[in-house]
Amino acid sequence: MYGLLLAVGVSCQTQKGVSTQTDEAPAQKKTQDDTKPYNEVITAEATSDEGLFTTHFVADKLYFEIPLEMLEKDMLLVSRIAGVPTGFGGGYINAGSKANEQVVRWSKRGNHIDMKVISFENESEEGSPIYQSVAANNFFPILFSSKIAAYNDERTSAVIEVSDLFKEEVTAINGVSPELRKRYKVKKLDKSRSYIESANAFPENIEVKHVMTYEAEEPPERDQAGTITMMMNQSMILLPEEQMQPRLADHRVGWFTTRKYDYNSDELKSDDYRIINRWQLVPKDIEAYKRGELVEPVEPIVWYIDPATPEKWRPYFRQGIEDWNVAFEAAGFKNAVIAKDPPSKEEDPDFSPEDVRYSVVRYVASTTRNAMGPSVTDPRTGEIIESDIIWYHNHLRSYRNRYMIEAGAQKPSARTLNTPEAEIGEMMRMVIAHEVGHALGLPHNMKASAAYPTDSLRSAKFTQKYGLTPSIMDYARVNYVAQPGDEEVRYIRMMGPYDLYAINWGYRYIPEADSPQEEKPILSQWILEKAGDPVYEFGNGYGGIDPQSQRESLGDDQVKASKYGLANLKKVVPNLVEWTSKDNTDYSELTEVYRELTYMWRGYVSHVVANVGGVYETRKTADQEGIVYTPVPEEKQKSAVAFLNEHAFTTPEWLLDRELLERIEATGAIERVQSLQSRALNDLLDEGRLQRMISNEQVNGNKVYTAVEMMNDLRKGIFEELYRSQKVDAYRRNIQRAYVDAAAEYVQNLKKEENNDVTSTDIIALMRGDLEQLRRDLRARRNRTNDQLSVYHWNDLIARINTALSVDA
């Protein structure tokens, strides 16, 4: 049966902040089962909190009073990082980051209570022949065990001390991964500086915060005195007794999923499948829903606005949340998503963002420049139970800077550090909508933006109707394609047709289907109805193979889009000093914006690089006609290399604005450009990319852009001064050295003793041949320029090539 949540009844003797015994309580003798009398364990000094369990603090000890009826119940233990030191994880791990998530059960074993980790990944029908084997080969580990210290007077609940669960180093719930332990050379947990900060009980969850201090030889920052101190938040959440009917995932529609293995499958192996993560929405009036009427759900999805949210931003947050109602209307629901202001103390004195019954958009006063849309999911069914979306205050800064950089050439309102409220508010609204999308179960769809023709993004009529991309779940934050003079164009992303399609696919109630298997042909048919339309395609952007599936990319032609973006950057740079300067302030804002502008230039270049050796992916199943993978056409690849030679590997004079640079640094421009160009070159000469080009030539014959052609085109572009007998400047000398060193690195692989896959490919032959050709050209042409330093440079490159090719000697 699927349906209602379990109604929890807890037998407890305490209230929040009230001790459990009076000072006059008489001393009791030790009980026959080796436990102590209740009042000797939970003394008059105890600070208690009543909820799913009752938590008791007695001095520095933490006790759980666990109702016996809660034993063997499935609970989700979610471990999050609540506070981190500066620079932890390279700045990519923030407060709110999830460290682990696992299902646990509390079980009684004699005079002990064990907490076992339960897995629902491997499944088998109870009573089937293989069931016993599945159970025996998936024995549940014990995460924590504690002797029962006492029972309550009615013996309906057991008291155990749980201090060591949070004060000792328990790998399954800490926030320092093995990789980070190695990076920071963590030695051990210092128990004297580790403690439990708080424990709060709510009707359906327990929240414990604890501080952990590690001794580390190389902590993230030098001033951390050889220690890493962090705060963890452990959430223990009761899972529903009545389980929702799961929905089987399909890789053609993007969803966060939970993996399962079915050992009762008729296949000659365990059946590996996934279910999607989604909230449970059931129509109040199923008959009206069947007739196609919009119907409210029995339980809508509600987010509360954090009381800490500034008043002026609350309307934008509410809009970003409730924007999703348009998508849910496509799925047959009205008022499915509701945004609420936080209740006052008078309205709800017990309201807390920590209570799992409430989902909250949290506003965090932090220098972190990010937003997150995490959720808590029942791994048995994929049901999303709760979500706390996080907005970090300084994320405003990210959008202010990006707006100036990518829209400043076109929009006067973007040429300021004080972005107008309506425009920054619209950006915040769409960020919240994006994060709500994650919390509803949708991952990034980086392929969406490639559905729109690049030049359509310069059209006011098109962008105002369709936005910048078919999905808010794409990274397409600002319209950098639009050019000065393109009037009334939309610059900020918005929800699109893919979002409505995905929500309908995942949330539409299918009353005629009594199982996930009965839903499957219906769901597949909905996909087939949209097949062939790029607006409804999905790609997560991972792997770097498909150039149509990239973060921050706009339009279906990456070369054209990057040319437009670069043209705008060239107009922005000469104005940055004026746009970022304030009286009586230094140039730190200018430094920050200029640095981020260089990152965006690097992004435009990487969008183009992905076309070389790229492969388009169109997700299909075996019942669909056509192939899944198609190489990028030859002309598009050649166009990409031509763009790189012209715009990425030439000296970026436009970026080296003297009026700007002399305000922010004494030196560093050469190194910065060298880093940007070398990164692009190494990406272009990536082993996987070259191997795809070689394999593609073998499969598709001569109708492809070959690796040899690419190297020839690249060499002629990077060494243009050699072939034109011209002087070489410092920036070009750097990229030419990087070219020789990259090719030489491949050849030098032959000297390495360890097994290396590249030695068994054609890549070394390709690089050896290219270096030999370059050496011949250098020898023949090196003295045709009158610049002595250029001649020295050519000679140096010959020497480097000689060293690289001497591996056979």
Side-chain angles (χ1 to χ4, degrees):
M1 293 291 293
Y2 302 95
L4 299 177
L5 297 176
L6 172 65
V8 181
V10 183
S11 175
C12 301
Q13 285 71 46
T14 64
Q15 296 178 346
K16 290 181 182 287
V18 179
S19 64
T20 59
Q21 296 290 328
T22 64
D23 291 337
E24 291 76 20
Q28 300 179 36
K29 296 181 181 180
K30 198 168 189 178
T31 59
Q32 293 181 347
D33 55 8
D34 201 31
T35 61
K36 291 182 179 181
Y38 186 89
N39 69 323
E40 290 187 15
V41 178
I42 308 303
T43 66
E45 289 73 32
T47 301
S48 305
D49 201 4
E50 181 181 346
L52 177 64
F53 301 165
T54 300
T55 63
H56 302 283
F57 266 118
V58 182
D60 63 345
K61 295 181 179 180
L62 176 62
Y63 293 89
F64 281 173
E65 184 175 335
I66 304 176
L68 299 183
E69 65 181 4
M70 287 294 103
L71 297 178
E72 305 302 333
K73 300 288 187 183
D74 292 337
M75 300 181 184
L76 191 66
L77 179 59
V78 183
S79 302
R80 291 192 184 94
I81 298 172
V84 292
T86 302
F88 187 74
Y92 293 100
I93 298 178
N94 302 307
S97 297
K98 189 184 297 183
N100 201 359
E101 187 173 286
Q102 53 205 321
V103 177
V104 298
R105 287 179 193 155
W106 294 91
S107 303
K108 188 174 183 294
R109 175 177 54 87
N111 64 346
H112 283 74
I113 298 291
D114 299 333
M115 184 169 68
K116 296 180 179 179
V117 178
I118 311 299
S119 172
F120 293 95
E121 188 174 64
N122 300 300
E123 298 178 328
S124 176
E125 293 180 11
E126 192 169 355
S128 67
I130 202 173
Y131 177 80
Q132 290 185 350
S133 178
V134 172
N137 288 283
N138 293 275
F139 195 71
F140 301 141
I142 297 174
L143 180 65
F144 175 76
S145 183
S146 182
K147 186 177 180 182
I148 298 173
Y151 288 95
N152 67 342
D153 292 342
E154 294 81 8
R155 296 186 71 83
T156 57
S157 58
V159 177
I160 61 172
E161 185 185 350
V162 294
S163 305
D164 286 348
L165 177 60
F166 306 108
K167 294 167 71 173
E168 298 282 346
E169 185 170 14
V170 180
T171 302
I173 66 171
N174 73 30
V176 185
S177 67
E179 186 273 332
L180 291 178
R181 291 183 70 94
K182 184 177 180 180
R183 183 194 303 186
Y184 300 134
K185 296 185 178 179
V186 173
K187 293 186 287 186
K188 65 176 182 178
L189 181 73
D190 185 345
K191 297 179 185 177
S192 67
R193 292 180 286 173
S194 301
Y195 57 90
I196 300 170
E197 174 75 16
S198 63
N200 298 103
F202 301 96
E204 296 176 12
N205 63 299
I206 304 293
E207 301 291 321
V208 178
K209 286 186 170 68
H210 57 112
V211 172
M212 307 183 77
T213 300
Y214 296 89
E215 295 180 9
E217 293 181 10
E218 298 181 5
E221 301 287 339
R222 292 181 179 178
D223 59 357
Q224 289 169 358
T227 62
I228 297 174
T229 298
M230 64 194 311
M231 180 180 287
M232 296 296 299
N233 186 98
Q234 309 296 340
S235 301
M236 192 177 304
I237 302 164
L238 182 67
L239 292 175
E241 186 90 354
E242 295 287 338
Q243 297 183 30
M244 179 185 78
Q245 178 171 299
R247 178 158 292 181
L248 296 174
D250 190 305
H251 77 303
R252 294 170 292 180
V253 186
W255 282 87
F256 290 128
T257 62
T258 299
R259 170 171 279 182
K260 300 281 187 178
Y261 294 92
D262 181 7
Y263 285 88
N264 283 106
S265 169
D266 292 331
E267 300 290 334
L268 300 180
K269 63 179 181 64
S270 60
D271 189 3
D272 178 359
Y273 70 99
R274 290 180 177 272
I275 57 176
I276 68 172
N277 299 343
R278 58 181 182 144
W279 299 77
Q280 182 171 207
L281 287 187
V282 178
K284 284 183 179 179
D285 186 338
I286 292 179
E287 292 305 315
Y289 189 87
K290 288 180 179 178
R291 293 193 298 268
E293 299 176 26
L294 290 179
V295 178
E296 290 186 342
V298 174
E299 292 287 341
I301 306 168
V302 179
W303 270 280
Y304 288 86
I305 305 297
D306 190 334
T309 307
E311 290 283 350
K312 69 177 180 178
W313 301 133
R314 292 187 185 188
Y316 301 107
F317 279 30
R318 282 193 290 268
Q319 284 180 304
I321 295 167
E322 295 187 345
D323 278 343
W324 282 97
N325 277 319
V326 174
F328 279 97
E329 287 173 5
F333 291 100
K334 67 178 179 180
N335 302 323
V337 181
I338 299 173
K340 290 186 177 182
D341 284 328
S344 65
K345 285 292 183 183
E346 292 73 26
E347 292 170 329
D348 186 352
D350 294 326
F351 175 83
S352 170
E354 304 294 336
D355 191 330
V356 76
R357 294 174 299 170
Y358 305 113
S359 293
V360 180
V361 178
R362 302 196 184 202
Y363 196 100
V364 180
S366 168
T367 57
T368 298
R369 293 166 61 174
N370 197 10
M372 300 169 60
S375 57
V376 174
T377 304
D378 184 345
R380 304 169 305 176
T381 63
E383 180 182 356
I384 298 175
I385 298 169
E386 178 265 352
S387 164
D388 283 339
I389 293 167
I390 302 172
W391 172 278
Y392 296 97
H393 176 75
N394 257 25
H395 207 31
L396 288 164
R397 191 171 195 154
S398 300
Y399 280 84
R400 177 202 71 176
N401 292 356
R402 179 176 287 274
Y403 198 47
M404 175 185 288
I405 294 166
E406 295 195 305
Q410 310 95 296
K411 283 183 68 67
S413 60
R415 299 165 188 171
T416 174
L417 294 173
N418 298 311
T419 310
E421 181 180 318
E423 291 172 65
I424 197 71
E426 178 72 1
M427 292 180 225
M428 294 176 75
R429 170 187 175 182
M430 294 307 162
V431 174
I432 293 298
H434 177 94
E435 301 306 336
V436 168
H438 285 321
L440 293 171
L442 302 181
H444 291 132
N445 182 5
M446 300 303 187
K447 197 175 182 70
S449 55
Y452 290 166
T454 300
D455 279 322
S456 293
L457 301 180
R458 300 185 60 186
S459 163
K461 183 178 180 180
F462 183 92
T463 56
Q464 295 297 345
K465 182 177 181 179
Y466 298 108
L468 312 186
T469 165
S471 177
I472 192 73
M473 304 314 298
D474 201 341
Y475 273 178
R477 299 178 232 237
V478 176
N479 186 352
Y480 62 81
V481 168
Q483 297 296 292
D486 295 343
E487 301 294 338
E488 303 301 323
V489 171
R490 183 174 177 86
Y491 281 88
I492 301 167
R493 59 182 169 173
M494 67 184 205
M495 199 166 293
Y498 173 86
D499 302 313
L500 278 62
Y501 161 73
I503 290 296
N504 176 71
W505 190 91
Y507 279 98
R508 178 165 286 277
Y509 189 72
I510 308 178
E512 64 270 27
D514 292 327
S515 70
Q517 289 71 29
E518 289 184 18
E519 288 186 340
K520 191 171 183 179
I522 300 171
L523 296 169
S524 183
Q525 181 58 37
W526 293 348
I527 296 172
L528 293 176
E529 290 170 1
K530 303 293 186 182
D533 188 338
V535 166
Y536 301 103
E537 288 188 10
F538 171 72
N540 57 25
Y542 298 131
I545 294 176
D546 186 351
Q548 303 285 52
S549 186
Q550 300 189 74
R551 58 193 298 160
E552 310 291 358
S553 178
L554 287 177
D556 63 347
D557 187 330
Q558 293 75 42
V559 174
K560 182 182 287 187
S562 290
K563 285 181 179 178
Y564 283 140
L566 184 58
N568 286 332
L569 294 188
K570 290 179 178 180
K571 295 179 178 70
V572 167
V573 169
N575 294 288
L576 282 184
V577 174
E578 177 187 349
W579 294 351
T580 62
S581 297
K582 296 180 181 179
D583 291 344
N584 301 314
T585 60
D586 61 16
Y587 289 106
S588 57
E589 298 274 20
L590 173 62
T591 303
E592 177 179 293
V593 173
Y594 178 75
R595 182 182 67 245
E596 292 180 24
L597 182 145
T598 64
Y599 295 161
M600 290 177 197
W601 172 50
R602 184 174 71 191
Y604 298 161
V605 169
S606 69
H607 294 161
V608 174
V609 170
N611 284 274
V612 184
V615 179
Y616 299 142
E617 179 190 41
T618 304
R619 298 186 176 205
K620 295 183 179 181
T621 52
D623 56 315
Q624 291 178 266
E625 294 183 358
I627 58 177
V628 174
Y629 298 104
T630 306
V632 173
E634 177 183 8
E635 286 307 310
K636 184 157 282 193
Q637 293 193 51
K638 287 180 70 70
S639 174
V641 173
F643 172 93
L644 296 171
N645 276 331
E646 182 179 356
H647 298 290
F649 301 138
T650 54
T651 302
E653 300 288 352
W654 61 273
L655 191 65
L656 304 172
D657 186 282
R658 183 175 176 182
E659 287 293 313
L660 188 156
L661 292 176
E662 290 182 349
R663 283 172 167 80
I664 66 173
E665 62 189 12
T667 185
I670 292 179
E671 292 78 8
R672 182 185 302 107
V673 172
Q674 179 182 16
S675 175
L676 292 168
Q677 292 183 328
S678 295
R679 181 167 177 164
L681 179 63
N682 290 332
D683 190 11
L684 182 63
L685 298 181
D686 173 72
E687 178 184 343
R689 188 181 315 282
L690 294 172
Q691 191 56 42
R692 285 195 302 275
M693 297 183 77
I694 293 169
S695 298
N696 187 33
E697 180 181 358
Q698 184 65 34
V699 172
N700 294 286
N702 296 325
K703 297 180 180 180
V704 297
Y705 188 45
T706 68
V708 171
E709 287 179 293
M710 188 272 284
M711 293 301 296
N712 284 337
D713 290 344
L714 184 62
R715 184 180 67 254
K716 291 174 182 177
I718 288 182
F719 291 90
E720 182 179 18
E721 294 88 347
L722 175 69
Y723 298 111
R724 293 191 175 187
S725 302
Q726 295 174 343
K727 176 183 176 180
V728 192
D729 67 28
Y731 299 97
R732 292 283 286 176
R733 292 197 296 270
N734 277 333
I735 190 63
Q736 290 168 4
R737 278 190 289 267
Y739 179 97
V740 170
D741 291 346
E745 176 67 20
Y746 278 114
V747 178
Q748 290 291 327
N749 272 288
L750 289 175
K751 281 188 175 180
K752 296 180 180 178
E753 295 181 1
E754 68 268 17
N755 291 329
N756 196 313
D757 290 341
V758 74
T759 61
S760 61
T761 72
D762 290 320
I763 296 176
I764 289 180
L766 174 70
M767 293 301 171
R768 183 191 301 279
D770 193 76
L771 287 174
E772 288 173 344
Q773 181 61 56
L774 178 59
R775 182 170 59 181
R776 287 193 292 271
D777 293 341
L778 285 166
R779 285 172 173 169
R781 297 171 176 270
R782 59 183 163 176
N783 293 315
R784 294 184 183 181
T785 176
N786 295 323
D787 182 68
Q788 194 63 49
L789 187 53
S790 295
V791 174
Y792 291 160
H793 169 64
W794 301 137
N795 289 335
D796 174 66
L797 293 184
I798 292 171
R800 290 174 186 241
I801 295 172
N802 287 339
T803 300
L805 297 180
S806 67
V807 294
D808 296 331

